[in-house]
Amino acid sequence: MGATEQRSEIRIGIGGMTCASCVARIERSLRKQPGVEEASVNLATERGTIRFDPVRISVPQLIEVVRETGYEAETAHLDLLVEGMTCAACVGRVERALLKVPGVLGASVNLATEKASVDYLPAQVDAGALRAAIEAAGYRVPQTAGARVPVGAGTRDREARRDLSFATLLTLPLILIAMGPMVVPTTGEWLHRLAPPMAWHWLELLLATPVQFYAGRRFYRQGIAELRHLSPGMNSLIMLGSSSAWGYSTLALLAPGLFPAGTAVLYYEASASIITLILAGKYLESAARGRTSSAIRKLMRLQPARARVVRGGEALDVPIEAVVPGDLILVRPGERIPADGTICEGSSYVDESMITGEPVPVLKGPGDEITGGTVNGAGALRFTAARVGAETLLAHIIRMVEEAQAGKPPIQQLADRIAGVFVPIVMLVATLTFLVWLGLGPDPALSHAFVAGVSVLVIACPCAMGLATPTAIMVGTGRGAELGVLFRKGASLETLARLDTLVFDKTGTLTEGRPALNRLHCFDGNEQRLLGLIAAVERRSEHPLGQSLVEAAAQRGLAPQEAEAVQAEPGFGIQGSVDGRRVQVGAARYMERLGIATDPVSALAEEWSRSGETLLYAAVDGRLAGLFGVSDPIKAGARQTIDALRNLGIEVAMLTGDQPGTAHAVAARLGIERVIAGVLPNGKAEEIARLQAEGRRVGVVGDGINDAPALARADLGLAMGTGTDIAIEAADLVLMAGDVRRVVDAIRLARRTLWIIKLNFFWAYAYNVALVPLAAGALYPFFGTLLNPMFAAAAMSVSSLFVVSNSLRLRHFNPRQALQAPAPAAQTASSTG
C-alpha cells in the first residue's frame, strides 16, 4: 500500500487561542511530529486541519500534542441507545462501525444496557453521523437516544409480546399436527379420518409461513445486515437455521421428486419452533435484564416530582424543574427532600440509607447539609437549595452508576474478541457437519445431514457470551450503590477484586479526622497568649490540625485576633503576622526548613509521639515558643477492617505525612505492620509507584486533597465520601458513608461479581463446546438419534436465561455481619495524614 493510500485528514476544535502567534505555535508543534504532513489552524473558526499518516501517528496523539502546547483540543461524549442487538457479535459490529467513522476516538457498546458510549471530535463528526453509522450496520437508534430509558420497557416490549403470542398461537397446532402422531399413535388415526395427509401438509405450510416471515422478521432484518457486512452473528444463525428448515420443507412439499427416497421430509414444526422458542427466550431474558437495572430505577424514583417553595412570603407547590439555587424550601414530616441544601430552620432525623447505605437516620439541624432524595423524619424543615436538578448528589450518583454499568472490564474485552470469531467458526462447523453426514452418513443421508447442520447453527448462538459480563456489572454496581459503594467505572470492579495491597491514609480515613488539642508546652509559661497568636494564624487555614487549635482557643474563651500576610506551605506549616509579631507553626520539618532548633523539646516530643499524638511546633519572631500535642480518635471499625482485609489475603499499609513515631503508634493499635510516614503530598504518589514496582496491585484509600495524587497513581483509588471533592474526583470508587468498613464490603462485592462473571463465561463457553458436538451428531453412533433443531433452539435460550439469572443473584448480596460490632471506645490516634 502506497503512502498516498495511508494519508488521512482530521479536523480538531482548538480552544484557548487569542492571536496569530497561538496559531503558529500549534502548527509548529504539530508539524514537528513524525507522520504529520500538513497542519493548518484557523483562528476564526478555532479549528485545526491535519493531514497525517495514521500508521505513524494516531489521532489521540495529535490531540495530546495540542494539549501539551497549552491549548484545549475539543472532544465530546455521547451515549446512544441501540435497538436490535442480540449477542456479543452485535456488540463488536456496532463498535467497529463507529470506530470506522473519521473523528471517533473510542466506542464502547454494552449489550445489557443497549447503549453505545462514544468519544469523538465534534469538529469532525456529529451525532447524526454516529447514528447513521449504527443504522448502516443494521441496528436502530431511537430519537430518545441518550435518555435514561429502562431496559425492557416501552414499545419494543409490546411488539415482542405480540410477536411471541402470534407465533405461539400458530406453532402449537403445527406441533400437534407434525409431532402428535409420533407421540400418541391414535392422534394420527384421528387426523387421517378428518382429512388426507396432503391436506395436513399444506396446513403445516400455511401455519409455519407467517411464523417464519412475520413473527421472525427481526431475525431476517438483522441477519441480512450482518451477512451484508460480512460479520455474522446470532440473527444470521437463526435466520439460516430456520430458513433452511422452512425452505427444505417447502421444496419437499412442492417437488418431492427432487429428493432421494426417504428424504422428502417436512420440518415445518422445527422452523416455527426455532422462531417461537427464540422469541420466548429473548422475551424472558429481556424481563430478567430489566431487573438487572433495578438499582438505577430505584435511584431515579428517589427524586420528588414537586417541591414546596417559599416565594413572596407564600408557600407554592412547584415542579422540581422550577426550583433554582437559593430557593427557600419547606419539607413536611415524612416527605422526600427535593434538592441539596443547608437547613436554616427546624431539626429532624433524616433517613439517608439510599445514599450512604447506613440504615440509622441522622439528626439534622440548622447549618447542616441535607441531600436531595433522602427522607425527612418526624420534624418539619426549612432549607436553602444549593444544588438542584442535574447538579444534586443524587443525580451525580445516578450518572456514576450508569457510567459504571456502561463500562467494560478487561475480561469483557477478551470475550468480545473471542465472540468476533466464534460465529464464523460455527458456520464453518455447520457446513462441515452437513457435508460429512451427506457423504458418510447412513440413509437417509440428506435428511440426517440437514438436521445436524441446522441444529449446529441454532444451538451455538453466542447470546450468553455477550450477556455474561454486562449483566453482572449492572447488578453488581447497582447493589454497590444501595450499600453506599459507588463504582465510577465498570472496570473498577475487576481491578478491586484483584488487589493484593491496600494503602490507607490516616487522618479522616482510619481516624475520625476531627483532631483535638490534647496538651501544650509553652516556654514562657503564658499558654493563653501563645494559643491566641497561633489560633489567629490558623483561622485562615482549612487543615484539620489548624482547626483543632482554633477550637481550643475558642473553648478557653480567647477573643479571635486578626492575622496578616498569612501563607500556608502544604505538608510543612503556616505563617503570618499578628500584632506585629511573626508567627510560624507546623511540623518538625517546617522548623528545620526555617532553621529553628527543636532540641529543647526533643525528649518531650519523643514521649508525646510514643503515645500517638501528632506534634506541632510553634515559633514566634524566629524563636521556638511551644509544642502542641494533638490527637484524633480512631474510627469505629477501623481495627476490624484491617483484620478482615488480612483475612481476605490483602496486605495493608499506612501512608501518612505524620511523624514516624506518631504513625507507628497508631499503626500498632490498628495492627498495621507496614508504615510509610513523613511523606509530603507529592511523595505519596512516588511511594505508591514504588509499591507497584514490586509487582503489587495497589489500592489507596484516602479523603484529603493531599491524597489525590496517590489516589490517581494507584491501580484503584478509593475515596471516602466525607472527604474533599478533589479526592473523590481522583478516585475510581467512592465510599459514600465515610465508614471505613465499607472498604471490605466493596472488596467482597467485587470478588463476588468477578466470580459470577467467570461462572457466566464458563457456562456460556462450556455450554457451546459441549452441545455443538451433540448437535453435530456425536450421540448418533451410541443411541441412533440426532438432536432435533427444535430442542436445539430451546437449549440456546436456556443458556442465556442461566447467565442472566446467575447475575441476578448479586441483587441479594449481603456483606457478612462480622464488622458490625462497635470498635473499642477509648482508642485515639494522631491527626496529620
Side-chain angles (χ1 to χ4, degrees):
M1 184 176 289
T4 302
E5 296 173 283
Q6 287 290 325
R7 193 173 298 155
S8 294
E9 185 174 284
I10 199 78
R11 289 187 298 276
I12 301 176
I14 302 175
M17 298 185 294
T18 57
C19 61
S21 63
C22 297
V23 170
R25 189 177 303 117
I26 298 171
E27 289 179 344
R28 282 197 303 271
S29 297
L30 288 168
R31 288 168 181 164
K32 285 192 297 186
Q33 304 305 313
V36 174
E37 298 180 6
E38 181 57 41
S40 175
V41 178
N42 188 306
L43 179 61
T45 61
E46 295 188 316
R47 288 189 179 186
T49 303
I50 308 162
R51 295 177 66 196
F52 65 101
D53 182 351
V55 174
R56 301 179 65 191
I57 190 168
S58 65
V59 174
Q61 288 174 317
L62 294 172
I63 290 173
E64 189 59 31
V65 169
V66 173
R67 289 174 175 166
E68 288 179 353
T69 307
Y71 301 90
E72 181 61 34
E74 296 176 359
T75 61
H77 179 86
L78 181 66
D79 290 332
L80 297 168
L81 292 176
V82 182
E83 294 181 353
M85 296 189 297
T86 53
C87 64
C90 297
V91 170
R93 186 174 310 109
V94 176
E95 287 181 349
R96 287 193 296 273
L98 287 169
L99 290 171
K100 288 179 182 177
V101 178
V104 171
L105 303 174
S108 176
V109 178
N110 188 302
L111 178 61
T113 60
E114 297 181 309
K115 183 186 289 184
S117 297
V118 190
D119 294 307
Y120 64 99
L121 297 173
Q124 176 77 15
V125 63
D126 58 16
L130 300 177
R131 291 189 178 92
I134 295 174
E135 290 170 352
Y139 302 90
R140 298 180 301 282
V141 182
Q143 290 303 310
T144 53
R148 294 186 187 114
V149 180
V151 176
T155 305
R156 285 182 292 120
D157 257 10
R158 291 192 294 271
E159 181 182 335
R161 282 195 299 269
R162 185 184 67 233
D163 289 346
L164 175 59
S165 300
F166 178 79
T168 303
L169 187 65
L170 297 182
T171 301
L172 288 177
L174 179 58
I175 292 176
L176 177 64
I177 295 170
M179 307 288 290
M182 301 179 191
V183 179
V184 182
T186 54
T187 303
E189 298 173 4
W190 177 71
L191 291 174
H192 290 161
R193 284 198 299 270
L194 289 176
M198 186 57 67
W200 292 113
H201 294 337
W202 282 100
L203 181 57
E204 286 184 50
L205 172 63
L206 291 176
L207 290 171
T209 300
V211 175
Q212 185 71 36
F213 298 104
Y214 177 73
R217 64 192 180 280
R218 68 183 63 190
F219 302 116
Y220 282 91
R221 184 171 58 237
Q222 298 295 330
I224 291 172
E226 291 171 359
L227 294 179
R228 189 173 66 245
H229 290 86
L230 301 179
S231 183
M234 169 204 158
N235 296 287
S236 305
L237 298 180
I238 298 301
M239 179 186 71
L240 293 174
S242 62
S243 297
S244 298
W246 185 90
Y248 185 101
S249 303
T250 301
L251 194 58
L253 177 63
L254 299 177
L258 297 177
F259 292 80
T263 61
V265 182
L266 303 186
Y267 293 101
Y268 285 123
E269 82 286 354
S271 69
S273 296
I274 289 170
I275 297 292
T276 303
L277 287 169
I278 299 301
L279 288 174
K282 300 306 288 183
Y283 179 74
L284 294 174
E285 175 193 308
S286 176
R289 282 164 58 186
R291 292 197 293 274
T292 66
S293 59
S294 61
I296 286 287
R297 290 196 297 272
K298 285 180 183 178
L299 288 169
M300 293 175 68
R301 285 197 293 266
L302 293 179
Q303 176 63 64
R306 305 186 71 80
R308 193 168 292 100
V309 179
V310 178
R311 290 176 181 165
E314 183 181 358
L316 304 175
D317 188 41
V318 303
I320 192 64
E321 295 81 8
V323 178
V324 297
D327 274 343
L328 181 63
I329 300 177
L330 307 182
V331 183
R332 293 182 296 195
E335 291 184 336
R336 285 200 182 274
I337 295 167
D340 297 355
T342 304
I343 297 175
C344 54
E345 184 181 329
S347 64
S348 179
Y349 281 92
V350 177
D351 180 0
E352 299 180 326
S353 58
M354 196 58 204
I355 301 295
T356 66
E358 294 293 338
V360 181
V362 181
L363 180 61
K364 300 282 187 176
D368 290 335
E369 292 187 356
I370 52 177
T371 304
T374 56
V375 181
N376 183 30
L381 299 175
R382 285 180 177 236
F383 75 96
T384 304
R387 293 178 297 275
V388 300
E391 301 304 317
T392 63
L393 177 62
L394 176 60
H396 187 55
I397 289 172
I398 292 173
R399 286 196 298 273
M400 288 176 66
V401 175
E402 286 182 326
E403 289 169 5
Q405 292 183 344
K408 284 188 180 182
I411 194 171
Q412 174 65 25
Q413 295 168 6
L414 174 62
D416 288 348
R417 288 195 295 270
I418 295 173
V421 299
F422 182 79
V423 174
I425 291 175
V426 166
M427 297 179 72
L428 178 61
V429 170
T431 302
L432 292 175
T433 299
F434 179 84
L435 294 175
V436 169
W437 274 99
L438 188 61
L440 304 177
D443 290 332
L446 178 60
S447 182
H448 287 152
F450 171 77
V451 169
V454 170
S455 295
V456 169
L457 284 175
V458 173
I459 208 168
C461 293
C463 307
M465 299 178 193
L467 293 169
T469 295
T471 52
I473 292 292
M474 287 183 70
V475 183
T477 54
R479 181 59 181 145
E482 293 173 353
L483 294 171
V485 178
L486 296 182
F487 293 89
R488 296 176 68 92
K489 296 178 290 187
S492 300
L493 269 166
E494 183 176 350
T495 305
L496 179 60
R498 299 184 187 278
L499 290 183
D500 54 37
T501 304
L502 207 54
V503 179
F504 284 84
D505 168 54
K506 180 169 64 63
T507 306
T509 303
L510 293 174
T511 67
E512 293 288 353
R514 295 192 298 271
L517 179 62
N518 199 40
R519 42 189 167 180
L520 162 62
H521 173 76
C522 179
F523 283 100
D524 64 8
N526 194 336
E527 295 183 355
Q528 297 290 88
R529 184 176 62 181
L530 177 61
L531 186 58
L533 292 173
I534 300 303
V537 175
E538 291 288 6
R539 282 179 61 204
R540 306 281 291 276
S541 168
E542 295 182 356
H543 196 287
L545 284 180
Q547 292 305 304
S548 72
L549 301 182
V550 174
E551 291 172 8
Q555 290 169 3
R556 298 190 185 196
L558 300 178
Q561 301 181 66
E562 287 299 324
E564 299 175 347
V566 176
Q567 182 178 356
E569 297 188 43
F572 288 90
I574 191 170
Q575 65 177 341
S577 178
V578 183
D579 289 337
R581 309 190 70 179
R582 184 158 49 94
V583 180
Q584 296 160 314
V585 59
R589 56 178 171 265
Y590 188 39
M591 297 295 112
E592 182 180 350
R593 170 185 282 190
L594 296 172
I596 299 174
T598 58
D599 296 341
V601 290
S602 58
L604 194 61
E606 185 177 350
E607 177 189 341
W608 291 6
S609 181
R610 281 199 302 269
S611 67
E613 295 179 41
T614 295
L615 306 180
L616 291 176
Y617 297 82
V620 178
D621 293 331
R623 299 180 62 184
L624 189 65
L627 177 68
F628 299 86
V630 178
S631 61
D632 183 11
I634 288 177
K635 275 190 175 180
R639 177 61 192 250
Q640 294 96 319
T641 297
I642 303 304
D643 292 341
L645 290 171
R646 191 174 291 111
N647 291 335
L648 290 173
I650 295 176
E651 182 175 341
V652 179
M654 187 170 72
L655 179 63
T656 177
D658 213 341
Q659 298 98 331
T662 304
H664 280 89
V666 175
R669 294 176 182 175
L670 293 171
I672 298 176
E673 297 179 359
R674 186 161 185 164
V675 180
I676 308 169
V679 184
L680 296 175
N682 291 338
K684 289 188 175 184
E686 296 172 4
E687 293 294 339
I688 299 304
R690 190 172 292 113
L691 289 172
Q692 291 170 325
E694 297 175 10
R696 299 174 181 271
R697 295 189 183 97
V698 183
V700 172
V701 187
D703 75 324
I705 293 175
N706 59 345
D707 300 319
L711 289 167
R713 182 67 181 83
D715 294 284
L716 187 84
L718 298 89
M720 308 301 286
T722 51
T724 65
D725 290 341
I726 294 176
I728 291 174
E729 288 301 318
D732 303 292
L733 185 152
V734 180
L735 308 174
M736 293 302 299
D739 186 345
V740 71
R741 288 171 287 196
R742 294 296 185 197
V743 174
V744 181
D745 295 348
I747 291 173
R748 286 180 175 144
L749 175 60
R751 290 187 175 183
R752 182 66 176 170
T753 303
L754 187 59
W755 163 248
I756 290 290
I757 290 173
K758 290 179 177 178
L759 188 60
N760 284 349
F761 276 135
F762 173 79
W763 172 267
Y765 288 109
Y767 192 88
N768 278 291
V769 170
L771 291 188
V772 166
L774 296 184
L779 293 180
Y780 189 86
F782 305 101
F783 303 102
T785 58
L786 287 172
L787 185 67
N788 190 301
M790 179 168 56
F791 297 116
M796 191 277 284
S797 296
V798 167
S799 177
S800 296
L801 289 173
F802 173 87
V803 164
V804 177
S805 301
N806 189 45
S807 297
L808 283 171
R809 293 194 297 143
L810 286 167
R811 294 174 68 191
H812 308 293
F813 169 81
N814 186 23
R816 290 181 295 180
Q817 305 301 312
L819 295 179
Q820 299 307 311
Q827 289 183 324
T828 60
S830 68
S831 166
T832 310

